Amino acid sequence: MVRILLVGATGGTGQAVRVMAGPAGHDVVALVRDPAVTRLPDATVVNGDARDVAAVSTALAGVDAVVSCLGVRIGQEPGTVRSEGTAALVAAMRAAGVRRLVCVSTVGVGDSVAAQSRPARLLWPRLVGRDRLAEAERAEAAVRGSDLEWTLVRPTRLVDGPDSRVATGVDVATGLRSQVSRTALARTLLDMVGTGAHLHRCVTVTGA
Ligand SMILES: NC(=O)c1ccc[n+]([C@@H]2O[C@H](COP(=O)([O-])OP(=O)(O)OC[C@H]3O[C@@H](n4cnc5c(N)ncnc54)[C@H](OP(=O)(O)O)[C@@H]3O)[C@@H](O)[C@H]2O)c1
């Protein structure tokens, strides 16, 4: 059993992680920024903003590992939540001595670009937004520059749907139509937390 701090627990992927963590034998502490949300099914809620190191530190008490599904919802300005929140998370984990971090990023950053088809390389930044991708790059840099036991997970387009087979790896080829369900992504994140797989790697995850 791993006691997991889940960041982004109210989002699409975070909800799936929450629901699947119990049956996988894990316990979840959810960091939730909305103070009106004091209870969630399948998790113990700690209220706080991901950018607030003190709040994250409180949430880390008794935790073995962190899964971050932090993000800015589609249609909202990317801002700096992702980079600042991830940097705060890394700082709080280092201070608390919590080592394992499985952090959701996105395909289309870093060396995953080289494995994208030519149309995807051209159009993905326009579809997602260059600012959003730049934010993801900054968040990744905060993780990669740390001495934590990290894995960065780069999903293709996220869709709602059932669990399904995924391809996971550093060199997985992706195209404009590549997608993965949030359920399958959540299961993959939980597998990584449980096994310590893909340590110090940035891995693409897409539906197989
Ligand atoms: N959509 C795609 O096709 C796609 C593709 C590749 C990668 N991704 C990435 O995959 C990840 C998961 O995506 P998703 O669509 O499942 O997520 P989502 O529904 O956008 O959820 C984002 C989560 O982050 C939380 N959050 C935002 N700002 C916060 C803050 N300051 N403090 C604490 N929590 C905060 C949100 O809380 P609230 O409920 O309070 O807003 C929510 O729980 C994201 O990082 C996204 O960028 C998405």
Side-chain angles (χ1 to χ4, degrees), residues 89-173:
L89 187 56
V90 166
M93 286 180 68
R94 294 190 72 236
V98 178
R99 308 274 311 144
R100 183 74 171 121
L101 170 61
V102 178
C103 183
V104 178
S105 178
T106 178
V107 78
V109 301
D111 49 9
S112 72
V113 176
Q116 282 183 303
S117 67
R118 192 174 146 74
R121 265 202 308 273
L122 284 173
L123 291 175
W124 183 251
R126 288 189 218 169
L127 289 171
V128 175
R130 290 182 198 283
D131 292 354
R132 202 170 272 264
L133 290 178
E135 254 297 276
E137 295 268 14
R138 286 190 285 271
E140 282 204 358
V143 173
R144 277 200 309 271
S146 78
D147 56 0
L148 298 175
E149 292 169 6
W150 55 266
T151 303
L152 281 161
V153 178
R154 296 167 169 164
T156 50
R157 186 192 310 273
L158 296 179
V159 293
D160 293 325
D163 197 358
S164 59
R165 285 183 54 220
V166 296
T168 305
V170 174
D171 300 324
V172 170

Side-chain angles (χ1 to χ4, degrees), residues 4-207:
I4 297 168
L5 173 63
L6 177 60
V7 183
T10 51
T13 306
Q15 283 180 47
V17 170
R18 234 169 58 212
V19 169
M20 296 167 88
H26 307 311
D27 226 17
V28 173
V29 177
L31 182 73
V32 177
R33 66 172 160 172
D34 183 350
V37 179
T38 55
R39 284 170 178 231
L40 286 173
D42 312 304
T44 303
V45 171
V46 175
N47 289 112
D49 193 291
R51 292 167 292 184
D52 179 349
V53 178
V56 179
S57 299
T58 302
L60 280 170
V63 158
D64 305 304
V66 176
V67 173
S68 175
C69 304
L70 178 66
V72 174
R73 292 175 193 273
I74 300 290
Q76 293 180 348
E77 282 298 311
T80 55
V81 166
R82 194 168 180 153
S83 56
E84 284 183 46
T86 305
L89 187 56
V90 166
M93 286 180 68
R94 294 190 72 236
V98 178
R99 308 274 311 144
R100 183 74 171 121
L101 170 61
V102 178
C103 183
V104 178
S105 178
T106 178
V107 78
V109 301
D111 49 9
S112 72
V113 176
Q116 282 183 303
S117 67
R118 192 174 146 74
R121 265 202 308 273
L122 284 173
L123 291 175
W124 183 251
R126 288 189 218 169
L127 289 171
V128 175
R130 290 182 198 283
D131 292 354
R132 202 170 272 264
L133 290 178
E135 254 297 276
E137 295 268 14
R138 286 190 285 271
E140 282 204 358
V143 173
R144 277 200 309 271
S146 78
D147 56 0
L148 298 175
E149 292 169 6
W150 55 266
T151 303
L152 281 161
V153 178
R154 296 167 169 164
T156 50
R157 186 192 310 273
L158 296 179
V159 293
D160 293 325
D163 197 358
S164 59
R165 285 183 54 220
V166 296
T168 305
V170 174
D171 300 324
V172 170
T174 63
L176 217 43
R177 295 199 181 150
S178 299
Q179 60 182 42
V180 60
S181 76
R182 289 180 171 88
T183 314
L185 174 60
R187 193 236 322 137
T188 306
L189 298 172
L190 287 167
D191 285 350
M192 288 178 183
V193 165
T195 63
H198 302 292
L199 214 54
H200 299 143
R201 294 244 155 98
C202 306
V203 288
T204 295
V205 175
T206 192

